[in-house]
């Protein structure tokens, strides 16, 4: 199903609107990089938060860029 969805222009346009940071489907590497960061000393002060690794999905209202006159 994912392969079919990744080739569907309608689904890709929706993902681009919902994931403004990624402009499309994320990859396993996107999630892996976040996991690696949390295992490193650089994240020692990161506590008690939910880390959304979603390409902006959680902050997007799903507006298609340019549809309302704004980018």
């Amino acid at each position: 199903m994912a392969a079919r969805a990744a080739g569907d222009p309608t689904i890709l346009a929706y993902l681009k609107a919902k994931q403004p940071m990624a402009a499309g489907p994320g990859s396993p590497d996107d999630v892996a990089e976040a996991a690696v960061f949390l295992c490193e000393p650089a994240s020692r002060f990161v506590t008690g938060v939910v880390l959304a690794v979603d390409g902006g999905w959680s902050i997007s209202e799903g507006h298609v860029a340019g549809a309302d006159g704004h980018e």
Side-chain angles (χ1 to χ4, degrees), residues 10-39:
T10 303
I11 293 172
L12 290 175
Y14 178 74
L15 289 175
K16 185 174 181 181
K18 282 294 290 176
Q19 294 177 309
M21 302 293 293
S27 72
D29 287 340
D30 294 325
V31 176
E33 292 293 331
V36 168
F37 167 71
L38 292 173
C39 294

Side-chain angles (χ1 to χ4, degrees), residues 3-65:
R4 180 182 57 85
D8 185 319
T10 303
I11 293 172
L12 290 175
Y14 178 74
L15 289 175
K16 185 174 181 181
K18 282 294 290 176
Q19 294 177 309
M21 302 293 293
S27 72
D29 287 340
D30 294 325
V31 176
E33 292 293 331
V36 168
F37 167 71
L38 292 173
C39 294
E40 294 177 346
S43 70
R44 70 186 180 281
F45 215 66
V46 177
T47 60
V49 297
V50 174
L51 181 62
V53 184
D54 63 5
W57 187 285
S58 60
I59 61 168
S60 169
E61 294 181 13
H63 298 288
V64 177

